[in-house]
């Protein structure tokens, strides 16, 4: 009868969605095809409700953990981790949803009949336990329990119904093979505890630290590393190379005549300035070897535009999301080579989506370099003006000054030069001068930055902070004019210079 199952401890599997419930059967209703559990546990966690009712349609599998005929004889269970003994008999429901009532074939051993297989081993519950509870049970067991065999299977009672493990595979023949493979002297080794105190006593810490201290004091505070005769510094910075290297030579560029002004890079390399006469000889030697004016103009335009893009904000300013706030650059160019360098720079800036406004006065005859650069600039579609009145009245982001020439000083007396210089000084925008003249000439436009080419000229304080640009002159070309040269640029094409 259905009442015979009341009080039994069962485990109900309701599929992956509802999970597994365990508890005592409080009632079985054959009419409504339901079963109720008191003190239920859901997936190893105690439920907040005292009783749960299941329909036969929701039950996928039902296992009898412990059978009791009288509910009053069962002490109150604290959950599936109590010390009851269970079987894993598979009481799967039939098509009608009821569990079988014939229990004659189910042999359930009593709690007093369970005998530990090994002395000092407490009985282990055989129903499902939570992960934490199983670890607690294993932690309190004696060291004699530590065996190569599985702790669950080694403590099972012989009458448990485990169809998959009661076959021929678990017979004596297979067991002997396992012992031969995995059980040779392993149990004896695992039973021996490691003697930490005894092994620690073998280590003489005082003698070791005394030897370390004596090695640190050896030879002017130097610490010995590796062999006793090897001397190395006692401390190193996180960015310092510990490998021995040749001493650094910071003066790697020497000029035939004493320079009137010297600069240094961020890494400490000394860069001397050269006179304008030596500078002209250097450019003439480079041109004789194939470094033509057109190549120099292109290299100067690329390096100057890279520096200008950095000054304008670089990737923080020039992004696709900031198209509505493109930077504006005003280029002031004269009718000379320096002006052609500025036009080349403006073309590269225009190619990088910078709003460029080019000022170039009208002349009947211009240099061929300016004519060719101007033809390329017109292809960018940006504004070209010849009158200062057409320049913006509001401040721009950057002014690039290419009005001055190294040789044609008379241009400063021209009206267009004076009005353009006045506009640059009144616009309140920072000024970048490309290839400014030597310090003997006063600067009509106060610059914040100046870009020199190849080697710097002795510039005055009005030139602002000086930068040096690599225009691609080979080392042997420097040697031809008497300059011992080693590149100060490293991995860059434009480097800042500091006045000595």
């Amino acid at each position: 009868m259905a009442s015979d199952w009341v009080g039994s401890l069962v485990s109900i599997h309701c599929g992956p969605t509802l999970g597994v419930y365990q508890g005592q059967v409080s009632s079985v209703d054959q009419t409504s095809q339901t079963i109720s559990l008191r003190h239920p546990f859901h997936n190893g966690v105690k439920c907040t409700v005292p009783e749960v009712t299941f329909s036969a349609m929701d039950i996928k599998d039902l296992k009898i953990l412990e059978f009791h005929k009288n509910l009053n004889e069962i002490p109150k269970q604290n959950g599936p981790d109590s010390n009851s003994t269970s079987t894993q008999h598979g009481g799967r429901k039939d098509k009608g949803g009821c569990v079988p009532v014939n229990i004659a074939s189910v042999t359930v051993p009593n709690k007093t009949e369970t005998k530990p297989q090994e002395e000092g081993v407490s009985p282990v519950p055989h129903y499902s336990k939570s992960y934490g509870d199983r670890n607690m049970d294993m932690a309190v067991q004696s060291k004699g329990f530590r065996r190569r065999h599985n702790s669950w299977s080694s403590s099972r009672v012989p009458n448990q119904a485990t169809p998959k493990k009661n076959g021929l595979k678990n017979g004596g023949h297979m067991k002997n093979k396992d012992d031969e493979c995995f059980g040779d002297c392993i149990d004896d080794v695992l039973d021996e505890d490691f003697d930490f105190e005894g092994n620690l006593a073998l280590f003489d810490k005082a003698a070791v630290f005394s030897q370390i201290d004596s090695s640190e004091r050896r030879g002017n505070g130097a610490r010995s590393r590796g062999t006793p005769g090897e001397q190395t510094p006692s401390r190193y910075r996180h960015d310092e190379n510990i490998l021995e290297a040749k001493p650094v030579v910071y003066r790697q560029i020497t000029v035939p005549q004493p320079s009137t002004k010297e600069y240094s890079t961020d890494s400490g390399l000394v860069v001397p300035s050269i006179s304008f006469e030596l500078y002209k000889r250097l450019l003439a030697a480079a041109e004789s070897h194939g470094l033509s004016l057109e190549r120099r103009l292109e290299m100067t335009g690329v390096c100057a535009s890279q520096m200008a893009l950095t000054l304008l904000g670089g990737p923080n300013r020039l992004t696709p999301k900031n198209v509505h706030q493109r930077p504006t650059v005003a280029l002031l160019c004269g009718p000379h080579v320096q002006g052609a360098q500025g036009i080349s720079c403006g073309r590269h800036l225009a190619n990088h989506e910078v709003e460029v406004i080019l000022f170039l006065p009208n002349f009947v005859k211009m240099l061929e370099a300016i004519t060719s650069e101007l033809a390329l600039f017109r292809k960018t579609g940006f504004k070209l003006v010849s009158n200062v009145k057409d320049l913006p009245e509001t401040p721009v982001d950057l002014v690039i000054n290419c009005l001055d020439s190294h040789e044609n000083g008379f241009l400063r007396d021209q009206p267009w030069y004076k009005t353009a210089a006045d506009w640059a000084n009144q616009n309140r925008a920072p000024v970048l001068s490309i290839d400014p003249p030597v310090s003997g000439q006063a600067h009509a436009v106060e610059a914040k930055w100046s870009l020199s080419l190849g080697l710097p000229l002795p510039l005055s304080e009005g030139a602002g902070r000086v930068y040096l640009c690599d225009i691609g002159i080979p080392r042997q070309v420097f040697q031809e004019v008497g300059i011992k040269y080693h590149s100060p640029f490293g991995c860059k094409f434009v480097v800042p210079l500091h006045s000595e």
Side-chain angles (χ1 to χ4, degrees):
M1 297 179 64
S3 59
D4 295 339
W5 298 97
V6 176
S8 299
L9 184 65
V10 299
S11 175
I12 299 177
H13 180 51
C14 299
T17 303
L18 298 179
V20 179
Y21 287 83
Q22 295 175 346
Q24 295 176 356
V25 179
S26 58
S27 65
V28 178
D29 191 344
Q30 295 181 342
T31 304
S32 60
Q33 295 289 295
T34 59
I35 183 172
S36 300
L37 302 182
R38 62 190 296 260
H39 307 304
F41 278 71
H42 180 220
N43 293 333
V45 181
K46 188 175 182 180
C47 299
T48 57
V49 295
E51 189 175 70
V52 178
T53 301
F54 301 90
S55 174
M57 299 177 61
D58 298 330
I59 300 175
K60 305 299 182 183
D61 192 10
L62 188 147
K63 296 180 180 180
I64 304 173
L65 303 180
E66 188 172 355
F67 178 74
H68 291 277
K69 292 185 178 181
N70 191 353
L71 182 61
N72 297 328
E73 296 177 0
I74 305 304
K76 183 178 180 180
Q77 301 293 329
N78 292 325
D81 291 338
S82 59
N83 293 328
S84 61
T85 306
S86 64
T87 66
Q88 295 184 0
H89 172 72
R92 185 173 295 275
K93 64 179 181 178
D94 56 6
K95 294 183 179 180
C98 298
V99 297
V101 298
N102 183 13
I103 61 173
S105 61
V106 180
T107 303
V108 182
N110 196 3
K111 290 190 295 183
T112 59
E113 297 175 357
T114 304
K115 296 181 181 180
Q117 295 182 357
E118 187 177 350
E119 184 179 357
V121 181
S122 59
V124 181
H126 301 290
Y127 48 82
S128 299
K129 277 191 173 186
S130 64
Y131 178 78
D133 294 334
R134 289 199 301 271
N135 290 340
M136 289 295 295
D137 290 343
M138 295 177 66
V140 300
Q141 293 174 355
S142 62
K143 68 177 183 179
F145 186 72
R146 293 179 300 188
R147 289 292 182 265
R148 192 68 180 179
H149 308 290
N150 184 276
S151 61
W152 177 265
S153 61
S154 63
S155 59
R156 288 179 181 243
V157 293
N159 292 332
Q160 282 184 299
T162 54
K164 293 184 179 180
K165 294 188 178 182
N166 283 339
L168 297 177
K169 292 185 178 181
N170 281 342
H173 179 67
M174 296 300 296
K175 184 176 181 181
N176 293 334
K177 284 189 175 182
D178 292 341
D179 291 340
E180 291 177 1
C181 182
F182 302 106
D184 187 14
C185 301
I186 296 298
D187 295 341
D188 298 336
V189 176
L190 294 177
D191 288 342
E192 297 178 1
D193 289 336
F194 182 77
D195 188 3
F196 288 95
E197 295 182 357
N199 282 270
L200 185 61
L202 300 177
F203 176 64
D204 191 355
K205 294 187 290 185
V208 173
F209 285 119
S210 176
Q211 183 180 1
I212 295 175
D213 293 338
S214 62
S215 63
E216 287 181 348
R217 292 190 296 269
R218 188 182 303 155
N220 297 329
R223 182 173 178 177
S224 176
R225 296 166 58 95
T227 60
E230 183 181 359
Q231 301 293 330
T232 56
S234 57
R235 289 185 177 88
Y236 295 95
R237 298 195 313 272
H238 68 281
D239 58 347
E240 185 177 0
N241 187 6
I242 66 173
L243 300 178
E244 294 185 1
K246 297 180 180 179
V248 180
V249 178
Y250 291 99
R251 186 175 295 275
Q252 300 180 2
I253 302 176
T254 58
V255 294
Q257 299 176 355
S259 60
T260 58
K261 194 171 186 178
E262 288 187 343
Y263 301 90
S264 63
T265 63
D266 290 339
S267 58
L269 298 178
V270 179
V271 180
S273 63
I274 59 176
S275 62
F276 179 66
E277 288 74 15
L278 183 59
Y279 181 70
K280 289 193 299 182
R281 289 172 51 199
L282 177 63
L283 296 182
E287 190 169 354
S288 65
H289 289 285
L291 188 62
S292 61
L293 176 61
E294 290 77 10
R295 287 188 174 185
R296 296 205 315 267
L297 291 178
E298 191 68 19
M299 194 67 184
T300 303
V302 171
C303 293
S305 61
Q306 287 182 349
M307 181 178 176
L309 291 173
T310 303
L311 297 176
L312 292 173
N316 298 324
R317 180 76 181 275
L318 301 170
T319 60
K321 297 181 180 180
N322 202 23
V323 179
H324 62 288
Q325 293 181 346
R326 291 191 300 181
T328 302
V329 174
L331 270 163
L332 307 180
C333 299
H336 37 64
V337 175
Q338 284 70 31
Q341 294 172 165
I343 299 174
S344 176
C345 174
R347 171 168 54 89
H348 288 289
L349 289 176
N351 292 338
H352 288 268
E353 301 299 328
V354 177
E355 191 75 26
V356 179
I357 302 174
L358 174 61
F359 168 78
L360 180 66
N362 284 326
F363 282 88
V364 178
K365 185 177 181 181
M366 292 188 181
L367 294 177
E368 182 180 356
I370 292 182
T371 303
S372 59
E373 289 294 336
L374 199 58
L376 287 175
F377 179 81
R378 285 193 175 98
K379 297 300 181 180
T380 64
F382 284 96
K383 190 174 182 181
L384 172 63
V385 298
S386 59
N387 195 331
V388 177
K389 295 181 180 180
D390 297 328
L391 292 174
E393 297 180 358
T394 58
V396 295
D397 293 281
L398 180 66
V399 174
I400 298 180
N401 177 26
C402 299
L403 296 173
D404 296 308
S405 174
H406 294 290
E407 297 177 340
N408 298 330
F410 66 91
L411 294 177
R412 296 189 176 190
D413 298 330
Q414 300 294 325
W416 61 266
Y417 183 97
K418 294 181 179 179
T419 53
D422 293 339
W423 178 90
N425 293 326
Q426 296 175 3
N427 191 262
R428 301 193 304 274
V431 178
L432 167 63
S433 294
I434 298 178
D435 196 12
V438 295
S439 57
Q441 304 178 13
H443 294 275
V445 179
E446 293 294 330
K448 189 174 182 179
W449 308 281
S450 292
L451 182 63
S452 297
L453 312 180
L455 284 177
L457 300 174
L459 303 178
S460 63
E461 297 298 330
R465 187 174 183 182
V466 181
Y467 285 76
L468 186 63
C469 164
D470 182 13
I471 57 175
I473 302 177
R475 181 186 300 182
Q476 293 184 1
V477 176
F478 284 97
Q479 295 177 356
E480 287 185 10
V481 296
I483 300 176
K484 181 182 177 182
Y485 180 81
H486 185 81
S487 174
F489 294 99
C491 62
K492 300 178 181 180
F493 284 88
V494 178
V495 294
L497 298 181
H498 309 278
S499 298
E500 294 293 335

